[in-house]
PDB file of all heavy atoms in Angstrom:
ATOM      1  N   GLU A 176      10.284 -98.276  85.164  1.00 85.00           N
ATOM      2  CA  GLU A 176       9.208 -99.260  85.024  1.00 85.00           C
ATOM      3  C   GLU A 176       8.445 -99.472  86.326  1.00 85.00           C
ATOM      4  O   GLU A 176       7.694-100.434  86.446  1.00 85.00           O
ATOM      5  CB  GLU A 176       9.784-100.602  84.551  1.00 85.00           C
ATOM      6  CG  GLU A 176      10.050-100.658  83.062  1.00 85.00           C
ATOM      7  CD  GLU A 176      10.168-102.081  82.560  1.00 85.00           C
ATOM      8  OE1 GLU A 176      10.750-102.915  83.275  1.00 85.00           O
ATOM      9  OE2 GLU A 176       9.656-102.357  81.467  1.00 85.00           O
ATOM     10  N   THR A 177       8.618 -98.625  87.283  1.00 92.00           N
ATOM     11  CA  THR A 177       7.906 -98.738  88.550  1.00 92.00           C
ATOM     12  C   THR A 177       6.885 -97.607  88.637  1.00 92.00           C
ATOM     13  O   THR A 177       7.244 -96.437  88.554  1.00 92.00           O
ATOM     14  CB  THR A 177       8.884 -98.664  89.729  1.00 92.00           C
ATOM     15  OG1 THR A 177       9.813 -99.756  89.640  1.00 92.00           O
ATOM     16  CG2 THR A 177       8.146 -98.737  91.052  1.00 92.00           C
ATOM     17  N   PHE A 178       5.622 -97.977  88.754  1.00 93.00           N
ATOM     18  CA  PHE A 178       4.571 -96.955  88.788  1.00 93.00           C
ATOM     19  C   PHE A 178       3.312 -97.514  89.432  1.00 93.00           C
ATOM     20  O   PHE A 178       3.135 -98.726  89.574  1.00 93.00           O
ATOM     21  CB  PHE A 178       4.241 -96.473  87.367  1.00 93.00           C
ATOM     22  CG  PHE A 178       3.674 -97.545  86.473  1.00 93.00           C
ATOM     23  CD1 PHE A 178       2.306 -97.852  86.479  1.00 93.00           C
ATOM     24  CD2 PHE A 178       4.499 -98.272  85.616  1.00 93.00           C
ATOM     25  CE1 PHE A 178       1.778 -98.836  85.658  1.00 93.00           C
ATOM     26  CE2 PHE A 178       3.979 -99.263  84.782  1.00 93.00           C
ATOM     27  CZ  PHE A 178       2.614 -99.545  84.816  1.00 93.00           C
ATOM     28  N   THR A 179       2.415 -96.624  89.808  1.00 94.00           N
ATOM     29  CA  THR A 179       1.056 -96.945  90.242  1.00 94.00           C
ATOM     30  C   THR A 179       0.141 -95.893  89.631  1.00 94.00           C
ATOM     31  O   THR A 179       0.387 -94.689  89.807  1.00 94.00           O
ATOM     32  CB  THR A 179       0.914 -96.928  91.768  1.00 94.00           C
ATOM     33  OG1 THR A 179       1.763 -97.919  92.332  1.00 94.00           O
ATOM     34  CG2 THR A 179      -0.524 -97.216  92.178  1.00 94.00           C
ATOM     35  N   ARG A 180      -0.884 -96.342  88.922  1.00 93.00           N
ATOM     36  CA  ARG A 180      -1.791 -95.374  88.307  1.00 93.00           C
ATOM     37  C   ARG A 180      -3.215 -95.925  88.274  1.00 93.00           C
ATOM     38  O   ARG A 180      -3.434 -97.146  88.266  1.00 93.00           O
ATOM     39  CB  ARG A 180      -1.328 -95.023  86.900  1.00 93.00           C
ATOM     40  CG  ARG A 180      -1.257 -96.166  85.911  1.00 93.00           C
ATOM     41  CD  ARG A 180      -0.905 -95.668  84.512  1.00 93.00           C
ATOM     42  NE  ARG A 180      -0.780 -96.726  83.533  1.00 93.00           N
ATOM     43  CZ  ARG A 180       0.337 -97.032  82.910  1.00 93.00           C
ATOM     44  NH1 ARG A 180       1.459 -96.368  83.161  1.00 93.00           N
ATOM     45  NH2 ARG A 180       0.354 -97.994  82.001  1.00 93.00           N
ATOM     46  N   GLN A 181      -4.160 -95.009  88.264  1.00 93.00           N
ATOM     47  CA  GLN A 181      -5.565 -95.390  88.187  1.00 93.00           C
ATOM     48  C   GLN A 181      -5.921 -95.731  86.746  1.00 93.00           C
ATOM     49  O   GLN A 181      -5.459 -95.080  85.798  1.00 93.00           O
ATOM     50  CB  GLN A 181      -6.441 -94.249  88.680  1.00 93.00           C
ATOM     51  CG  GLN A 181      -7.910 -94.605  88.823  1.00 93.00           C
ATOM     52  CD  GLN A 181      -8.700 -93.490  89.483  1.00 93.00           C
ATOM     53  OE1 GLN A 181      -8.173 -92.756  90.315  1.00 93.00           O
ATOM     54  NE2 GLN A 181      -9.967 -93.367  89.094  1.00 93.00           N
ATOM     55  N   VAL A 182      -6.726 -96.777  86.562  1.00 94.00           N
ATOM     56  CA  VAL A 182      -7.107 -97.233  85.224  1.00 94.00           C
ATOM     57  C   VAL A 182      -8.590 -97.579  85.204  1.00 94.00           C
ATOM     58  O   VAL A 182      -9.233 -97.707  86.247  1.00 94.00           O
ATOM     59  CB  VAL A 182      -6.277 -98.470  84.803  1.00 94.00           C
ATOM     60  CG1 VAL A 182      -4.810 -98.121  84.624  1.00 94.00           C
ATOM     61  CG2 VAL A 182      -6.448 -99.614  85.807  1.00 94.00           C
ATOM     62  N   ASP A 183      -9.122 -97.736  84.007  1.00 91.00           N
ATOM     63  CA  ASP A 183     -10.488 -98.235  83.836  1.00 91.00           C
ATOM     64  C   ASP A 183     -10.422 -99.726  83.560  1.00 91.00           C
ATOM     65  O   ASP A 183      -9.917-100.156  82.524  1.00 91.00           O
ATOM     66  CB  ASP A 183     -11.165 -97.522  82.661  1.00 91.00           C
ATOM     67  CG  ASP A 183     -11.451 -96.060  82.948  1.00 91.00           C
ATOM     68  OD1 ASP A 183     -11.757 -95.746  84.119  1.00 91.00           O
ATOM     69  OD2 ASP A 183     -11.350 -95.234  82.020  1.00 91.00           O
ATOM     70  N   ALA A 184     -10.881-100.511  84.511  1.00 90.00           N
ATOM     71  CA  ALA A 184     -10.907-101.968  84.354  1.00 90.00           C
ATOM     72  C   ALA A 184     -12.259-102.452  84.862  1.00 90.00           C
ATOM     73  O   ALA A 184     -12.414-102.870  86.006  1.00 90.00           O
ATOM     74  CB  ALA A 184      -9.761-102.621  85.128  1.00 90.00           C
ATOM     75  N   HIS A 185     -13.252-102.360  83.989  1.00 86.00           N
ATOM     76  CA  HIS A 185     -14.626-102.661  84.393  1.00 86.00           C
ATOM     77  C   HIS A 185     -14.895-104.151  84.500  1.00 86.00           C
ATOM     78  O   HIS A 185     -15.873-104.560  85.131  1.00 86.00           O
ATOM     79  CB  HIS A 185     -15.616-102.018  83.407  1.00 86.00           C
ATOM     80  CG  HIS A 185     -15.460-100.533  83.283  1.00 86.00           C
ATOM     81  ND1 HIS A 185     -15.689 -99.678  84.338  1.00 86.00           N
ATOM     82  CD2 HIS A 185     -15.069 -99.744  82.238  1.00 86.00           C
ATOM     83  CE1 HIS A 185     -15.470 -98.435  83.953  1.00 86.00           C
ATOM     84  NE2 HIS A 185     -15.090 -98.437  82.681  1.00 86.00           N
ATOM     85  N   ASN A 186     -14.041-104.957  83.873  1.00 86.00           N
ATOM     86  CA  ASN A 186     -14.195-106.407  83.940  1.00 86.00           C
ATOM     87  C   ASN A 186     -12.835-107.049  83.643  1.00 86.00           C
ATOM     88  O   ASN A 186     -11.845-106.357  83.395  1.00 86.00           O
ATOM     89  CB  ASN A 186     -15.265-106.896  82.953  1.00 86.00           C
ATOM     90  CG  ASN A 186     -15.027-106.355  81.553  1.00 86.00           C
ATOM     91  OD1 ASN A 186     -13.898-106.275  81.065  1.00 86.00           O
ATOM     92  ND2 ASN A 186     -16.109-105.969  80.883  1.00 86.00           N
ATOM     93  N   TYR A 187     -12.802-108.381  83.670  1.00 83.00           N
ATOM     94  CA  TYR A 187     -11.527-109.076  83.465  1.00 83.00           C
ATOM     95  C   TYR A 187     -11.003-108.898  82.052  1.00 83.00           C
ATOM     96  O   TYR A 187      -9.793-108.806  81.841  1.00 83.00           O
ATOM     97  CB  TYR A 187     -11.672-110.563  83.807  1.00 83.00           C
ATOM     98  CG  TYR A 187     -11.360-110.842  85.250  1.00 83.00           C
ATOM     99  CD1 TYR A 187     -12.343-110.722  86.220  1.00 83.00           C
ATOM    100  CD2 TYR A 187     -10.080-111.181  85.649  1.00 83.00           C
ATOM    101  CE1 TYR A 187     -12.068-110.945  87.556  1.00 83.00           C
ATOM    102  CE2 TYR A 187      -9.785-111.410  86.978  1.00 83.00           C
ATOM    103  CZ  TYR A 187     -10.780-111.293  87.928  1.00 83.00           C
ATOM    104  OH  TYR A 187     -10.489-111.498  89.238  1.00 83.00           O
ATOM    105  N   ALA A 188     -11.902-108.840  81.077  1.00 84.00           N
ATOM    106  CA  ALA A 188     -11.452-108.637  79.696  1.00 84.00           C
ATOM    107  C   ALA A 188     -10.740-107.291  79.569  1.00 84.00           C
ATOM    108  O   ALA A 188      -9.687-107.187  78.920  1.00 84.00           O
ATOM    109  CB  ALA A 188     -12.642-108.709  78.744  1.00 84.00           C
ATOM    110  N   GLY A 189     -11.303-106.255  80.214  1.00 89.00           N
ATOM    111  CA  GLY A 189     -10.669-104.949  80.169  1.00 89.00           C
ATOM    112  C   GLY A 189      -9.334-104.930  80.888  1.00 89.00           C
ATOM    113  O   GLY A 189      -8.371-104.300  80.429  1.00 89.00           O
ATOM    114  N   ALA A 190      -9.250-105.648  82.017  1.00 91.00           N
ATOM    115  CA  ALA A 190      -7.997-105.708  82.766  1.00 91.00           C
ATOM    116  C   ALA A 190      -6.923-106.441  81.966  1.00 91.00           C
ATOM    117  O   ALA A 190      -5.761-106.017  81.927  1.00 91.00           O
ATOM    118  CB  ALA A 190      -8.220-106.393  84.108  1.00 91.00           C
TER     119      ALA A 190
END
Side-chain angles (χ1 to χ4, degrees):
E176 280 199 321
T177 299
F178 63 85
T179 298
R180 61 175 178 244
Q181 188 173 329
V182 294
D183 291 326
H185 302 296
N186 51 40
Y187 270 86

